[in-house]
Amino acid sequence: MKQKILRPNAWKVPGAIPHAQYVAWSRSRAQAHFRNEEWHLTFEEFQQVWQGYWERRGRGSTEYCMSRDDPERAWAIGNVSCIQRREYLSRQSEYKNA
């Protein structure tokens, strides 16, 4: 398998963690646009939302993801929070059954 080459001199945001956050923000924004959802989070706001949770984010049931409190409103400060994936999946099933 080909080894991934890191090029920190080409990163828009210096530092390994800020760069990873920038990539996650960019991907999240692209996914929101793909799903025709409004996105109003700046990169700095995204970092603020993830403060204290970044190291615990992931795909496991006890790890954290970002979710909208009201799925009808935009991705914006005041409508997003970091929650455990099990809670996120529980919310998704509630929305589908409503």
Side-chain angles (χ1 to χ4, degrees):
M1 188 159 100
K2 191 174 182 179
Q3 187 175 3
K4 188 175 182 179
I5 299 172
L6 298 177
R7 298 180 6 201
N9 58 329
W11 294 348
K12 289 188 176 196
V13 180
I17 292 176
H19 172 70
Q21 291 173 331
Y22 182 81
V23 170
W25 170 76
S26 182
R27 286 181 180 163
S28 298
R29 184 178 62 164
Q31 280 295 311
H33 287 294
F34 178 78
R35 293 187 303 258
N36 293 319
E37 299 168 351
E38 289 185 62
W39 181 271
H40 300 298
L41 283 176
T42 65
F43 175 58
E44 291 76 18
E45 291 170 336
F46 181 85
Q47 287 180 305
Q48 181 183 344
V49 169
W50 276 103
Q51 191 170 15
Y53 297 101
W54 184 257
E55 306 301 331
R56 298 183 286 168
R57 79 180 183 72
R59 295 185 180 190
S61 65
T62 60
E63 295 172 322
Y64 285 79
C65 64
M66 190 170 67
S67 175
R68 290 183 291 172
D69 299 328
D70 181 354
E72 301 297 319
R73 293 179 38 218
W75 292 89
I77 288 291
N79 192 41
V80 295
S81 57
C82 291
I83 59 173
Q84 287 188 328
R85 287 191 58 84
R86 73 175 92 183
E87 182 181 345
Y88 172 78
L89 295 172
S90 173
R91 283 185 185 184
Q92 294 306 310
S93 64
E94 289 174 17
Y95 297 140
K96 288 180 182 177
N97 293 334

